[in-house]
């Protein structure tokens, strides 16, 4: 050993160091972690307004959770229809260790300010409406404008066939969400262009609906209307819940813009995981709704969308 | 180009030590061998692992197949029981009761049991239910598949069952098992369709409980390529995920390799009895391999450890082999530099020991040869000395006898006696028992005898005197080195002197470590050209002699005492000549003289 040259000593030392580092890296989790071992915690904050529609969304989320090793902590409460309550829920979720939040924000701007103020630096996956903050890592919404135009097309078709009257009542909830407004505007413009009488109304629980053809512009309003004892004779709307599908199948709803909640749930969790893993920022994804008539409900082509396989 | 490369390689190779070459070759060979063996083992191990996993998968698929077949048989048994025990025996259990009992017994697997006539009218159902008002069962696929094919059982794909009125908002996914039956109606026999809706959840449970590793999965496909079950069924329907189910439906039972979205997969296909469905297992390529990042790093670390061990072992071996060679090389180098008295260690392998031994013998032989050469030179030198002395003595004898002859001719017997006495003393010292080294005292006595004779010969034309301290008289010197010089002084310097004007001075003194003997005369001196020639060692004959006396003295001093000692001549024309001999000062001893 004493006869080794300086260069040989250096080479042997470097080799030993490499071996030690390689053994350390390959035998411990200090430097290299197997990706599959990590469990991600993602909070889902929503109201319980459309319970059975949420069920399909949840099915999609669960599928993604199973695939991506995610622990989904759901905060589903009527109180989450209030902006302040949503902020509190987000704060609680972050404090409980959530690595991302999936939320349908009531006040997107307020939520962005709140998160900035509290320095809550985790990805936000927004449903329905973009948050417009640095944290926002993806927005999954339906193309409400297109849905509005197509639903208006179904109404116009029925009117021209003499099935319904000319007076159209557009009912929407009070919150004035961006997507609801877009859908309302598209419906109103298209119907007006077809020389129909359009009346914009705010849905208020307990107050009877006016006479005329009723179009529920958002899923919340349609859910509330179909849960009433007496349904309007001519009802159209936006929604995907099992109850809406059943009513549509029964012909109690003449046409509905039906979204794919399963996919939205799946994709939102997938976007959250990708954002946690590598900071990949998902673009805004506009999902397409389809306009379904009663006779479409049992068509094989729509079966997956209406009755997703868990 | 090749030649240049070859030359470069040779130049590089010649700079490498043998130890380094052995180390490199050993390590490289061992690493290559180990790499090949490792790769071979890895490949075999991977293949075996693949086989084991493949066998496990097939066993698992077999198990799933059996479970599924068992479930289907159960449904078929229910169907058979209804058909053969209830419908064909009108006198037996009432149909409603029979349907109810069978439904209740199997309701974990069965969603509903119903009997329709050939017009699609519901005859019996369990649980009891009403048909939806707008439903025409004759348009249903399961009805059409069963109609006209007596006793054959038909399995539909999963679908939402919407036949019966339900108060629930949920939806029921079922697999419809239908068959055409013949029912006794009084004396007539009527055709009907028996429908058993198997719960899709039952099928899901069978497949969901199976684990094929982290990324492997099973799915079920019918013969047309329509998915019956798939863990990502909905995602495939919505186009988010992809599957090769259509291709799989066309495959025979067996194992296949395929690529989907750039990812290699191994699929195994197995047909389910009665239905024509196929169970397909999918194992992604990476799932069975050992090549995860950590495994690869671990393997690299093992390889490096192995390399390090090899390097250390090879270093030890190469040192063991080359150290004796290095010792030999060092010994040979010393020998080539003239150092023959070296110690050589006897170590290393047989061949190296033999080589060392040969070199040792060669050194001894060289030493012997050198000693022989030295001896020969010694003998040669002595011979030369003897020859020189032999040249001196006849020369002097001739001169001395010439003087005695002259004295006898001139009737000077007293002088002749004196001359002959001096000559006798001269020869006595000249002989000195064969010794070549004598004390300075004897050499001066010898010269004195000579000068006595010469003074007689030259009729007292010159005088001489000797200046020598007591301390130099017992020093040793070469015999007969002053006489030739004095002879020259007499011959060249005294002949032309007037009576008594010539002078020769002999000096002997110590100068540091040296003994200096000097002969000085006041003769005509030597001309510069001749002086230069004498200094160069050229022998210049003259009419008074051959000129070899002085040269002989110089060579004898050189040969005896070495190159740094010798003779020096200084002469000035008309002034005189002084010849100085310089030699080491050493006290005379008899032994040394011998």
């Amino acid at each position: 050993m004493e006869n080794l040259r300086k260069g040989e000593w250096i080479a042997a030392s470097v080799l030993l160091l490499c071996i030690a580092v390689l053994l350390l890296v390959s035998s411990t989790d200090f430097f290299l972690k197997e990706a599959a071992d990590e469990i991600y915690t993602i909070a889902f904050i929503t109201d319980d307004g459309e319970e059975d529609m949420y069920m399909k969304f949840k099915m999609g989320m669960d599928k993604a959770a199973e695939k991506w090793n995610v622990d989904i902590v759901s905060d589903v409460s009527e109180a989450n229809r209030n902006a302040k309550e949503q902020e509190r829920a987000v704060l609680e979720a972050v404090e409980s260790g959530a690595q991302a939040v999936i939320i349908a924000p009531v006040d997107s701007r307020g939520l962005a300010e709140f998160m900035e103020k509290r320095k809550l630096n985790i990805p936000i996956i927004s449903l329905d409406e973009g948050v417009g903050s640095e944290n926002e890592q993806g927005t999954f919404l339906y193309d409400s404008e297109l849905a509005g135009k197509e639903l208006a097309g179904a109404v116009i078709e029925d009117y021209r066939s003499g099935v319904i009257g000319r007076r159209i009542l557009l009912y929407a909830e009070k919150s004035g969400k961006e997507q609801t407004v877009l859908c309302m505007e598209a419906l109103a413009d298209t119907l007006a262009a077809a020389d129909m009488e359009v009346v914009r109304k705010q849905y208020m629980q307990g107050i009877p609906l006016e006479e005329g053809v009723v179009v529920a512009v958002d899923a919340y309003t349609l859910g509330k209307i179909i849960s009433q004892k007496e349904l309007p004779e001519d009802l159209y709307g936006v929604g995907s819940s099992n109850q809406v599908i059943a009513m549509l199948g029964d012909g109690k709803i003449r046409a509905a813009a039906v979204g794919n909640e399963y996919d939205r749930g799946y994709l939102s969790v997938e976007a959250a995981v990708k954002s946690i893993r590598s900071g990949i920022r998902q673009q805004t994804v506009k999902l397409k709704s389809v306009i379904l008539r009663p006779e479409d409900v049992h068509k094989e082509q729509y079966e997956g969308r209406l009755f997703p396989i868990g | 180009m090749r030649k240049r490369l070859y030359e470069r390689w040779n130049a590089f190779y010649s700079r490498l030590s043998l130890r380094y070459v052995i180390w490199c070759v050993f390590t490289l060979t061992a690493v290559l061998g180990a790499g090949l063996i490792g790769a071979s083992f890895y490949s075999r191990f991977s293949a075996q692992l693949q086989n084991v996993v493949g066998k496990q998968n097939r066993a698992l698929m077999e198990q799933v197949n059996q479970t599924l077949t068992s479930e289907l048989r159960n449904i078929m048994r229910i169907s058979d029981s209804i058909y053969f025990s209830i419908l064909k025996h009108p006198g037996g259990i009432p149909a409603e009761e029979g349907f109810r009992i069978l439904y209740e017994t199997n309701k974990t697997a069965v969603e509903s049991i119903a009997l329709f006539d050939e017009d699609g009218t519901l005859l019996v159902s369990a649980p009891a239910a009403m048909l939806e008002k707008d439903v025409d069962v004759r348009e249903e696929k399961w009805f059409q598949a069963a109609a006209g094919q007596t006793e054959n059982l038909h399995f539909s794909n999963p679908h939402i069952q919407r036949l019966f009125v339900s108060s629930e908002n949920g939806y029921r996914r079922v697999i419809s098992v239908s068959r055409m039956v013949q029912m006794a109606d009084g004396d007539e026999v009527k055709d009907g369709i028996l429908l058993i809706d198997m719960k899709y959840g039952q099928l899901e449970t069978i497949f969901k409980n199976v684990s094929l590793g982290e990324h492997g999965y099973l799915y079920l496909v019918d013969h047309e390529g329509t998915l019956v079950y798939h863990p990502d069924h909905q995602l495939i329907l919505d186009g988010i995920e992809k599957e090769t189910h259509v291709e799989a439906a066309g495959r025979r039972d067996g194992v296949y390799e395929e690529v989907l979205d750039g990812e290699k997969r191994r699929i195994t296909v197995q047909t389910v009895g009665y239905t024509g469905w196929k169970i397909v297992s999918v194992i992604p390529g990476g799932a069975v391999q050992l090549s995860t990042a950590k495994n690869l790093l671990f393997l690299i670390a093992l390889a490096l450890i192995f390399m390090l061990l090899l390097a250390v072992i090879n270093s030890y071996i190469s040192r063991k082999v080359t150290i004796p060679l290095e010792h030999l090389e060092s010994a040979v180098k010393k020998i080539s530099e003239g150092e023959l008295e070296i110690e050589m260690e006897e170590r290393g392998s047989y061949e190296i020991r033999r080589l060392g031994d040969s070199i040792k013998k060669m050194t001894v032989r060289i030493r012997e040869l050198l000693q022989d050469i030295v001896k020969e030179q010694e003998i040669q030198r002595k011979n030369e000395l003897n020859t020189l002395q032999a040249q001196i003595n006849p020369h002097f004898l001739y001169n001395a006898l010439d003087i005695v002859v002259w004295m006898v001719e001139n009737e000077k017997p007293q002088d002749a006696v004196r001359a002959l006495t001096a000559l006798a003393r001269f020869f006595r010292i000249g002989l000195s028992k064969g010794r070549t080294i004598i004390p300075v005292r004897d050499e001066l006595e010898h010269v004195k005898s000579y000068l006595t004779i010469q003074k007689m010969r030259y009729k007292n034309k010159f005088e001489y005197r000797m200046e020598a301290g007591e301390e130099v008289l017992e020093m040793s010197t070469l015999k007969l080195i002053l006489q030739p010089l004095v002879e020259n002084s007499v011959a060249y310097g005294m002949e032309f002197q007037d009576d008594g004007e010539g002078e020769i001075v002999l000096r002997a003194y110590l100068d540091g470590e040296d003994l200096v003997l000097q002969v000085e005369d006041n003769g005509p001196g030597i001309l510069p050209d001749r002086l230069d020639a004498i200094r160069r060692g050229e022998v210049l004959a003259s009419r008074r002699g051959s000129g070899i006396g002085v040269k002989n003295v110089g060579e004898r001093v050189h040969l005896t005492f070495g190159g740094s000692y010798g003779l020096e001549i200084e002469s000035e024309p008309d002034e005189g000549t002084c010849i100085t001999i310089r030699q080491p000062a050493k006290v005379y001893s008899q032994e040394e003289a011998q």
Side-chain angles (χ1 to χ4, degrees):
Chain A
M1 293 292 273
E2 68 274 10
N3 291 321
L4 284 180
R5 289 180 210 153
K6 193 181 172 189
E8 289 169 340
W9 270 114
I10 291 170
S13 306
V14 169
L15 200 60
L16 276 172
L17 193 71
C18 287
I19 290 167
V21 169
L22 284 170
L23 286 176
L24 206 65
V25 172
S26 61
S27 312
T28 66
D29 282 342
F30 294 129
F31 305 100
L32 194 67
K33 269 191 173 180
E34 299 284 352
D37 293 337
E38 196 167 349
I39 297 172
Y40 305 102
T41 305
I42 295 172
F44 173 50
I45 299 167
T46 186
D47 60 72
D48 61 349
E50 279 294 303
E51 196 174 344
D52 64 351
M53 184 173 84
Y54 156 70
M55 204 174 74
K56 290 176 190 172
F57 186 87
K58 183 81 167 57
M59 277 171 74
M61 287 204 344
D62 288 345
K63 181 69 209 170
E66 180 192 322
K67 191 164 185 174
W68 300 102
N69 222 17
V70 175
D71 183 13
I72 293 177
V73 181
S74 298
D75 182 352
V76 183
S77 157
E78 179 74 29
N80 288 336
R81 293 183 66 75
N82 177 288
K84 289 290 166 198
E85 286 299 317
Q86 268 195 350
E87 289 172 3
R88 180 199 54 76
V90 168
L91 188 61
E92 270 182 16
V94 174
E95 284 172 352
S96 307
Q99 293 163 282
V101 173
I102 298 171
I103 189 168
V106 176
D107 175 7
S108 52
R109 194 178 297 170
L111 181 62
E113 284 172 6
F114 172 76
M115 292 199 66
E116 198 172 326
K117 189 178 165 189
R118 292 292 189 125
K119 296 187 169 34
L120 304 179
N121 198 22
I122 60 165
I124 292 286
I125 306 299
S126 170
L127 306 173
D128 295 337
E129 200 166 329
V131 175
S133 104
E134 279 295 307
N135 302 74
E136 188 188 347
Q137 296 289 316
T139 305
F140 295 89
L141 46 85
Y142 291 112
D143 191 340
S144 302
E145 201 175 346
L146 182 66
K149 281 179 185 171
E150 289 182 349
L151 190 59
V155 173
I156 292 164
E157 192 183 320
D158 286 352
Y159 168 67
R160 287 181 180 159
S161 310
V163 177
I164 57 169
R166 183 171 164 265
R167 188 166 187 257
I168 311 297
L169 303 161
L170 303 181
Y171 275 94
E173 65 169 324
K174 187 185 173 185
S175 70
K177 286 179 180 171
E178 190 183 335
Q179 295 306 311
T180 308
V181 172
L182 281 171
C183 187
M184 174 76 91
E185 292 303 322
L187 267 164
D189 291 351
T190 312
L191 291 170
D195 198 28
M196 300 187 79
E197 184 190 345
V198 177
V199 181
R200 300 176 194 226
K201 302 291 286 181
Q202 184 185 322
Y203 175 78
M204 295 179 79
Q205 207 165 358
I207 296 175
L209 301 171
E210 286 184 26
E211 284 292 321
V213 177
V214 174
V215 178
V217 177
D218 58 79
Y220 176 77
T221 305
L222 184 59
K224 291 294 177 190
I225 290 172
I226 58 174
S227 60
Q228 289 178 356
K229 280 184 182 173
E230 286 190 14
L231 294 179
E233 196 174 328
D234 301 314
L235 179 61
Y236 298 82
V238 174
S240 312
S241 70
N242 286 341
Q243 199 184 359
V244 168
I245 304 303
M247 293 273 188
L248 184 66
D250 290 346
K252 290 171 184 165
I253 297 173
R254 289 194 177 278
V258 180
N260 192 333
E261 284 296 297
Y262 183 96
D263 281 4
R264 199 155 75 123
Y266 179 86
L267 292 172
S268 58
V269 173
E270 187 187 57
V273 171
K274 283 182 179 171
S275 177
I276 295 166
R277 271 190 182 173
S278 49
I280 293 172
R281 197 185 182 98
Q282 178 73 55
Q283 299 291 323
T284 296
V285 177
K286 279 190 175 180
L287 299 164
K288 275 187 78 175
S289 301
V290 291
I291 305 298
L292 296 183
R293 297 285 193 171
E295 61 272 20
D296 296 326
V297 170
H298 298 296
K299 282 185 179 168
E300 205 174 320
Q301 67 187 99
Y302 299 118
E303 197 174 283
R305 176 181 287 254
L306 301 177
F307 313 106
I309 305 165
Chain B
M1 182 69 183
R2 278 177 66 184
K3 195 179 170 189
R4 212 160 60 187
L5 275 175
Y6 180 72
E7 280 167 1
R8 273 189 182 182
W9 164 250
N10 267 348
F12 170 72
Y13 186 74
S14 63
R15 283 201 300 272
L16 299 177
S17 69
L18 181 64
R19 182 189 156 205
Y20 186 70
V21 171
I22 292 175
W23 184 85
C24 281
V25 171
F26 274 28
T27 306
L28 205 67
T29 312
V31 166
L32 273 174
L36 282 172
I37 292 168
S40 163
F41 269 107
Y42 181 83
S43 161
R44 283 181 72 90
F45 189 62
S46 284
Q48 276 185 354
L49 191 67
Q50 293 259 13
N51 279 339
V52 169
V53 171
K55 277 181 186 171
Q56 281 179 349
N57 284 346
R58 283 196 289 280
L60 211 61
M61 282 178 77
E62 194 60 49
Q63 203 178 330
V64 170
N65 199 345
Q66 281 176 9
T67 311
L68 182 60
T69 308
S70 164
E71 284 294 326
L72 296 174
R73 272 197 194 135
N74 187 37
I75 301 294
M76 288 158 74
R77 268 199 299 274
I78 297 168
S79 178
D80 288 346
S81 300
I82 293 172
Y83 188 24
F84 297 109
S85 306
I86 302 172
L87 301 180
K88 283 204 166 182
H89 290 85
I93 313 165
E96 289 79 3
E97 184 61 11
F99 272 50
R100 191 190 62 76
I101 291 168
L102 281 168
Y103 170 72
E104 289 295 334
T105 315
N106 298 286
K107 69 180 178 185
T108 51
V110 173
E111 186 70 47
S112 62
I113 304 172
L115 179 66
F116 300 89
D117 66 14
E118 56 190 345
D119 298 325
T121 307
L122 178 63
L123 302 175
V124 189
S125 75
M130 285 171 63
L131 276 180
E132 287 276 4
K133 61 182 178 186
D134 58 338
V135 167
D136 182 356
V137 294
R138 287 174 300 179
E139 290 173 10
E140 299 290 324
K141 281 184 180 173
W142 53 265
F143 191 96
Q144 291 168 355
Q149 294 182 37
T150 315
E151 298 189 357
N152 274 359
L153 274 165
H154 299 277
F155 292 85
S156 77
N157 285 330
H159 63 103
I160 301 298
Q161 184 55 281
R162 60 180 191 94
L163 295 177
F164 305 106
V165 175
S166 169
S167 57
E168 294 169 19
N169 275 338
Y171 47 92
R172 293 181 290 275
R173 192 175 299 277
V174 296
I175 291 168
S176 296
V177 182
S178 57
R179 75 191 296 178
M180 192 175 179
V181 293
Q182 291 179 326
M183 304 169 290
D185 184 14
D187 295 334
E188 287 180 46
V189 174
K190 284 186 175 176
D191 288 338
I193 303 291
L194 176 65
L195 170 71
I196 300 173
D197 280 336
M198 180 186 167
K199 284 183 177 171
Y200 180 71
Q202 196 69 11
L203 192 77
E204 273 188 322
T205 310
I206 294 169
F207 282 86
K208 273 190 173 170
N209 289 337
V210 177
S211 169
L212 287 183
E214 202 177 339
H215 300 291
Y217 59 89
L218 286 178
Y219 71 88
L220 192 62
V221 65
D222 75 0
H223 66 281
E224 287 176 338
T226 308
L227 283 174
V228 178
Y229 167 83
H230 194 293
D232 292 337
H233 201 149
Q234 185 62 40
L235 298 175
I236 293 166
L237 284 177
D238 293 341
I240 293 172
E241 294 288 351
K242 287 179 187 169
E243 190 51 86
T244 57
H245 52 288
V246 178
E247 291 85 349
R251 293 189 194 274
R252 289 165 181 265
D253 286 7
V255 181
Y256 302 90
E257 299 281 345
E258 64 175 24
V259 177
L260 179 64
D261 287 342
E263 193 193 2
K264 266 190 165 184
R265 326 179 325 153
R266 172 178 278 214
I267 65 161
T268 310
V269 180
Q270 203 173 80
T271 306
V272 182
Y274 311 115
T275 57
W277 293 343
K278 285 180 175 171
I279 300 173
V280 183
S281 83
V282 179
I283 306 289
V288 194
Q289 284 176 5
L290 300 169
S291 53
T292 64
K294 280 191 169 184
N295 279 350
L296 279 177
L297 289 177
F298 187 70
L299 281 176
I300 292 169
L302 277 184
L304 288 180
I305 290 172
F306 184 68
M307 273 177 67
L308 189 66
L309 278 175
L310 276 179
V312 170
I313 292 167
N314 288 339
S315 173
Y316 175 76
I317 292 170
S318 61
R319 281 181 57 75
K320 197 84 182 157
V321 171
T322 55
I323 278 185
L325 285 173
E326 282 170 6
H327 276 274
L328 277 183
E329 189 255 341
S330 158
V332 170
K333 193 177 172 190
K334 281 180 183 170
I335 291 167
S336 72
E337 285 166 357
E339 194 181 332
L340 296 173
E341 300 287 340
I342 49 158
E343 282 295 319
M344 271 196 287
E345 292 177 64
E346 284 194 7
R347 54 198 287 188
S349 62
Y350 172 75
E351 291 84 353
I352 294 168
R353 279 169 190 268
R354 284 279 307 271
L355 186 63
D357 196 39
S358 299
I359 291 172
K360 208 190 262 180
K361 282 178 181 168
M362 187 183 78
T363 315
V364 171
R365 183 80 186 118
I366 290 172
R367 225 159 39 209
E368 285 172 0
L369 286 172
L370 281 176
Q371 279 170 358
D372 287 349
I373 290 167
V374 168
K375 266 184 188 172
E376 278 176 17
Q377 283 180 343
E378 190 80 12
I379 291 164
Q380 195 180 348
R381 198 174 61 177
K382 277 189 175 174
N383 288 341
E384 281 174 5
L385 276 173
N386 289 336
T387 309
L388 288 174
Q389 283 178 2
Q391 284 173 349
I392 292 165
N393 288 338
H395 185 67
F396 173 71
L397 187 59
Y398 165 77
N399 287 334
L401 289 174
D402 191 41
I403 293 167
V404 173
V405 169
W406 178 78
M407 282 179 175
V408 173
E409 281 176 354
N410 289 286
E411 296 177 346
K412 292 180 177 176
Q414 288 303 317
D415 289 343
V417 168
R418 199 152 51 93
L420 284 171
T421 306
L423 185 64
R425 203 166 55 233
F426 176 83
F427 277 113
R428 182 177 56 79
I429 293 168
L431 290 169
S432 302
K433 298 174 185 172
R435 292 194 295 268
T436 55
I437 305 288
I438 56 169
V440 172
R441 182 193 300 280
D442 287 356
E443 181 63 12
L444 289 175
E445 189 66 26
H446 182 252
V447 173
K448 192 178 170 186
S449 300
Y450 175 76
L451 281 174
T452 302
I453 294 165
Q454 292 296 56
K455 198 175 169 188
M456 287 175 182
R457 184 185 166 195
Y458 286 96
K459 299 169 186 171
N460 294 324
K461 279 187 178 176
F462 66 90
E463 291 298 328
Y464 68 91
R465 73 170 190 276
M466 291 186 177
E467 296 173 3
E470 277 300 317
E471 71 276 11
V472 299
L473 294 178
E474 292 309 317
M475 293 291 168
S476 62
T477 186
L478 279 176
K479 190 171 72 180
L480 304 184
I481 57 168
L482 289 175
Q483 184 269 333
L485 307 183
V486 171
E487 186 183 337
N488 274 350
S489 290
V490 172
Y492 296 106
M494 302 301 125
E495 188 179 356
F496 305 105
Q497 298 285 350
D498 295 330
D499 287 348
E501 284 184 2
E503 188 179 41
I504 294 170
V505 182
L506 282 104
R507 293 189 193 91
Y509 60 91
L510 292 173
D511 182 12
E513 300 283 306
D514 297 341
L515 169 67
V516 177
L517 301 171
Q518 219 169 41
V519 176
E520 188 179 350
D521 64 57
N522 58 351
I526 305 166
L527 289 170
D529 292 348
R530 192 173 176 82
L531 184 63
D532 287 342
I534 292 167
R535 280 173 179 163
R536 286 198 298 272
E538 292 172 12
V539 177
L540 300 173
S542 70
R543 63 186 173 85
R544 291 181 190 85
S546 62
I548 59 169
V550 177
K551 185 171 180 284
N552 279 350
V553 170
E555 284 179 353
R556 284 172 60 204
V557 174
H558 269 301
L559 277 170
T560 310
F561 303 112
S564 57
Y565 297 101
L567 189 139
E568 221 173 83
I569 303 170
E570 286 170 28
S571 184
E572 284 288 325
D574 299 326
E575 290 291 328
T577 303
C578 179
I579 302 175
T580 306
I581 295 168
R582 186 174 286 274
Q583 65 167 78
K586 256 178 130 179
V587 176
Y588 176 79
S589 70
Q590 289 275 347
E591 294 77 25
E592 203 177 350
Q594 291 296 334

